[in-house]
Amino acid sequence: MIKARITVTLKNGVLDPQGKAIEHALSGLGFDGVGAVRQGKVFDVELAESDKAKAEADLKAMCDKLLANTVIENYSVTLT
Amino acid sequence: MKSAVVLLPGLNRDRDMIAALTKISGQAPATVWQTDTEIPDVDLITIPGGFSFGDYLRCGAIAARMPVMRAVAEKAAKGVMVIGVCNGFQILVEAGLLPGALMRNSSLKFVCRQVKLQITNANTMFTRRYQPGQIIRSPVAHHDGNYFADADTLARLEGEGQVVFRYAEGTNPNGSINDIAGIVSKQGNVLGLMPHPENLIEAAHGGNDGRALFEGALGIAA
């Protein structure tokens, strides 16, 4: 079995109002010097697959087809 | 003219859409379930608002991958009219039938109010019963209506007249880029909009500003 972690983040230039709200909340808690905060998503996926290359290709296809909206989001796949 | 309404778990404006289509066209629309792979022979398919699949992952993301949406795409490719309202709009962009994306409202708040819409292109099947530049009223109720598209896509949409509804008179409720409230596909037969015209079609609603949209699409005399 292969385990993987997929990270989905907003592309540069795409406004992230949730990240902005978190950024303000952190400042409000007294954390000075917090720069931009961007919110993203993490998916931990288990695959019944032993071929790492095949797993990676499948995971990328999953991102393109469902897990990320590539109009606004980037993704990265890491086998763990 | 016959119509159909797509049903998905978590939608909650389906009954409003069915009622509006029944009142305006004089016949009840066909209903198609998420797992249906065929849509009856109709002139107009509507995808109502709500929170399909609990808005999990992204609004409309799961719904857009259900079998019924492949059938909707096939019909759209053949020129059948499609209207997606609110969650229906989100589903259409997630399905790739319309460009861009709908993001969290810039206020981060759910908005439920009336807005003003300007008809920025009255030369579509959906807006032909309105005057160019006309301002109409419409309710909105959404958390993720902040339309976004990259600069190239936006320039194309604006240049080709694909932006058909724009929030007017400072009523943009969600931070949508260029005040975009509704767009049509390049071929012009697929419309997505965040506002709810089906909720303003008769006096009991407080007005009928939304009625002409369905009358235009269904070719019904006003």
Side-chain angles (χ1 to χ4, degrees):
Chain A
M1 189 182 67
I2 287 176
K3 289 185 180 182
R5 172 159 285 190
I6 292 165
T7 309
V8 175
T9 50
L10 280 177
K11 286 182 177 173
N12 287 335
V14 175
L15 278 175
D16 179 12
Q18 293 176 101
K20 269 270 179 269
I22 295 163
E23 184 184 312
H24 291 311
L26 287 172
S27 308
L29 286 171
F31 291 103
D32 295 329
V34 173
V37 177
R38 309 276 285 168
Q39 182 177 304
K41 296 188 187 104
V42 168
F43 304 90
D44 287 328
V45 183
E46 295 181 359
L47 283 182
E49 173 69 64
S50 50
D51 181 345
K52 284 194 170 183
K54 169 84 166 58
E56 208 150 342
D58 282 351
L59 289 158
K60 282 184 176 160
M62 289 175 206
C63 290
D64 286 325
K65 285 189 174 170
L66 179 65
L67 298 178
N69 178 348
T70 53
V71 174
I72 48 170
E73 293 169 329
N74 291 322
Y75 62 82
S76 65
V77 175
T78 317
L79 300 185
T80 55
Chain B
M1 297 282 261
K2 290 183 181 152
S3 60
V5 176
V6 175
L7 301 179
L8 295 145
L11 292 184
N12 60 6
R13 300 293 191 112
D14 42 325
R15 288 175 65 178
D16 300 30
M17 187 63 84
I18 291 168
L21 289 169
T22 305
K23 273 206 173 198
I24 294 167
S25 72
Q27 54 184 324
T31 52
V32 281
W33 182 236
Q34 53 164 338
T35 47
D36 290 347
T37 51
E38 278 188 39
I39 296 174
D41 201 11
V42 295
D43 308 288
L44 170 68
I45 299 165
T46 62
I47 311 175
F51 304 86
S52 57
F53 296 91
D55 280 349
Y56 293 166
L57 187 61
R58 295 177 306 274
C59 297
I62 311 282
R65 276 92 184 158
M66 296 309 291
V68 71
M69 286 309 297
R70 278 198 292 275
V72 170
E74 282 166 20
K75 289 280 187 186
K78 288 180 188 156
V80 174
M81 284 178 281
V82 179
I83 300 178
V85 167
C86 198
N87 196 207
F89 185 13
Q90 295 162 342
I91 293 168
L92 288 173
V93 295
E94 277 285 346
L97 290 175
L98 288 172
L102 288 150
M103 306 187 53
R104 182 55 42 103
N105 295 345
S106 57
S107 64
L108 296 176
K109 293 194 174 86
F110 187 95
V111 292
C112 182
R113 65 172 78 129
Q114 188 168 274
V115 298
K116 301 263 184 79
L117 299 177
Q118 182 166 45
I119 313 298
T120 43
N121 181 355
N123 192 25
T124 75
M125 304 179 221
F126 308 103
T127 51
R128 57 186 174 167
R129 295 290 166 78
Y130 295 106
Q131 299 301 315
Q134 186 181 345
I135 307 250
I136 63 167
R137 299 170 304 152
S138 183
V140 293
H142 60 252
H143 208 166
D144 299 78
N146 186 351
Y147 185 79
F148 173 86
D150 62 59
D152 290 347
T153 306
L154 200 59
R156 204 171 59 241
L157 285 173
E158 295 282 2
E160 304 279 325
Q162 286 177 252
V163 177
V164 292
F165 295 107
R166 222 187 281 279
Y167 300 111
E169 300 177 3
T171 60
N172 183 340
N174 52 37
S176 187
I177 198 163
N178 290 13
D179 294 325
I180 289 172
I183 57 171
V184 288
S185 60
K186 197 171 166 52
Q187 291 73 25
N189 63 313
V190 179
L191 167 71
L193 73 168
M194 287 313 295
H196 286 278
E198 78 280 15
N199 288 138
L200 203 60
I201 61 146
E202 57 182 334
H205 287 157
N208 61 358
D209 298 36
R211 194 176 178 105
L213 191 159
F214 298 99
E215 287 173 344
L218 291 164
I220 292 164

